[in-house]
């Protein structure tokens, strides 16, 4: 035990939040990044299962991460994979990445040919049986500037085509890009199963998603004090289109905001969502479990 162990008490901002009370009805974490969390995969899965989170969807963001997701899903029945180049990854492949944000490190500009080559590998992975979805893909106007927009949109369109050809779910990352994401989906024709991960639209957009049959996956930020717009969206979303996710290690639900997130914290978000919907926790969990299985076809 390190000498500073006493500091990892209640108030420690970096300490893992405590285990919540288990759910009585098991659910899935519809979007997580186990490769960015501390501890082993087995530890993370066991901890999640101990509170009723018995299934996780492991999401790839680049080539290495997508290959890893496919490997982990092949090795664990409780893990399903999705594969993609993240919306912020595609522009880096084309234009270079001097800061090395991606886990593959700084990269030289590779142009459209490099993007095509990366997409071919995503296409190959998308054909694997344990890969249930293509994503996270989409548009991110927050992190990617105007110079990266064309590459990002080209990559998004290619991912939609791959998802449809393989009959897999499409997992959308939409950051400050609602109108453009909805437009591209319309132009390309959305796959049969499309999931807005970390749903960030308002109630009006939820009505559009409902009409189109898009799933809306709510993350820990639905619990944040300043996120009334998300709770309003959750309140009007058809129950059969609602999913829950951690997007861990990010977006830890209140009251643990800022501390490390992991799939075992799903019950905290489920309980907050049940309160918003005014329904019983078990009823919501039953719906979430069925919806996630339907969305990803497992
Ligand atoms: Zn995302
Ligand atoms: Zn994510």
């Amino acid at each position: 035990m390190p000498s500073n162990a006493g500091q990892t008490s209640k108030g420690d901002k970096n300490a893992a939040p405590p285990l919540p009370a288990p759910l009585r009805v098991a659910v899935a974490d519809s979007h997580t990044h186990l490769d960015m969390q501390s501890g082993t995969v087995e530890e993370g899965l066991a901890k999640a299962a101990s509170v009723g989170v018995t299934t996780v969807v492991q999401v790839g963001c680049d080539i290495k991460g997508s290959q890893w997701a496919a490997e982990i899903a092949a090795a664990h029945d409780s893990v399903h994979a999705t594969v993609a180049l993240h919306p912020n990854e595609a522009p880096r492949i084309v234009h270079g990445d001097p800061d090395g944000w991606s886990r593959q490190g700084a990269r030289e500009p590779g142009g459209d040919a490099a993007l095509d080559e990366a997409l071919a590998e995503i296409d190959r992975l998308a054909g694997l049986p344990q890969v249930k979805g293509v994503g996270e893909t989409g548009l991110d106007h927050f992190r990617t500037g105007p110079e990266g927009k064309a590459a990002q949109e080209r990559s998004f369109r290619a991912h939609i085509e791959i998802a449809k050809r393989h009959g897999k779910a499409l997992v959308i990352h939409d950051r400050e890009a609602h109108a453009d994401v909805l437009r591209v989906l319309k132009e390309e024709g959305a796959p049969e199963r499309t999931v807005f991960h970390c749903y960030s639209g308002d109630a009006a957009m939820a009505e559009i998603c409902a009409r189109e049959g898009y799933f809306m996956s709510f993350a820990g930020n639905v619990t944040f004090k300043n996120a009334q717009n998300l709770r309003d969206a959750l309140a009007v979303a058809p129950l059969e289109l609602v999913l829950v996710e951690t997007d861990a290690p990010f977006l830890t639900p209140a009251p643990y905001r800022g501390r490390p997130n992991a799939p075992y914290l799903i019950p905290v978000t489920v309980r907050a969502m049940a309160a918003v919907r005014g329904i019983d926790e078990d009823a919501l969990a039953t719906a979430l479990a069925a919806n996630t299985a339907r969305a990803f076809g497992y």
Side-chain angles (χ1 to χ4, degrees):
M1 184 184 287
S3 60
N4 64 350
Q7 291 170 16
T8 52
S9 61
K10 226 172 133 203
D12 192 319
K13 285 206 162 39
N14 298 316
L19 271 179
L23 295 169
R24 285 177 296 266
V25 176
V27 301
D29 179 349
S30 85
H31 186 115
T32 197
H33 300 283
L34 294 168
D35 48 337
M36 303 180 196
Q37 296 161 31
S38 64
T40 68
V41 167
E42 289 70 24
E43 286 164 356
L45 295 175
K47 206 170 169 184
S50 77
V51 293
V53 183
T54 52
T55 305
V56 308
V57 178
Q58 167 65 25
V59 174
C61 292
D62 57 19
I63 292 292
K64 276 207 173 93
S66 296
Q67 290 167 338
W68 189 83
E71 276 168 37
I72 292 299
H76 300 273
D77 288 343
S78 58
V79 180
H80 304 293
T82 73
V83 297
L85 309 173
H86 190 282
N88 294 319
E89 174 72 0
R92 287 189 185 91
I93 292 173
V94 175
H95 300 291
D97 172 26
D99 301 331
W101 171 91
S102 117
R103 278 162 299 141
Q104 291 174 30
R107 57 162 85 246
E108 296 299 314
D112 285 347
L115 181 56
D116 286 339
E117 202 180 304
L119 287 166
E121 175 61 3
I122 295 301
D123 190 353
R124 184 189 74 80
L125 292 167
L128 298 172
Q130 74 274 27
V131 173
K132 302 297 185 194
V134 174
E136 53 186 296
T137 180
L139 301 174
D140 188 323
H141 293 343
F142 180 75
R143 284 207 188 281
T144 293
E147 73 291 346
K149 264 190 178 176
Q152 192 171 80
E153 187 166 318
R154 187 161 89 79
S155 177
F156 182 27
R157 289 180 191 275
H159 282 82
I160 295 172
E161 189 275 326
I162 292 169
K164 286 199 288 194
R165 185 155 37 77
H166 290 283
K168 303 286 167 97
L170 182 73
V171 177
I172 303 273
H173 169 104
D174 160 23
R175 189 150 183 202
E176 299 185 9
H178 307 320
D180 284 339
V181 166
L182 292 169
R183 170 180 58 81
V184 172
L185 282 173
K186 260 248 136 65
E187 287 170 4
E188 294 292 323
E192 214 169 291
R193 293 168 286 127
T194 295
V195 177
F196 275 75
H197 118 75
C198 188
Y199 179 82
S200 59
D202 57 10
M205 179 166 161
E207 311 264 11
I208 296 172
C209 290
R211 257 200 324 274
E212 302 293 339
Y214 301 152
F215 291 92
M216 290 161 264
S217 182
F218 289 84
N221 54 345
V222 74
T223 68
F224 294 175
K225 210 175 266 175
N226 62 357
Q228 189 56 45
N229 61 322
L230 295 183
R231 288 185 287 277
D232 293 345
L234 172 59
V236 301
L239 185 58
E240 67 271 17
L241 293 178
V242 174
L243 307 182
V244 66
E245 68 173 72
T246 56
D247 201 18
F250 314 107
L251 299 174
T252 314
Y256 308 115
R257 191 174 177 176
R259 289 163 69 170
N261 200 6
Y264 77 90
L265 290 171
I266 279 283
V268 178
T269 304
V270 169
R271 288 179 182 126
M273 290 169 67
V276 170
R277 300 281 310 199
I279 61 174
D280 162 78
E281 167 188 324
D282 293 356
L284 178 60
T286 301
L288 292 169
N291 297 346
T292 315
R294 216 169 65 249
F296 289 95
Y298 60 78

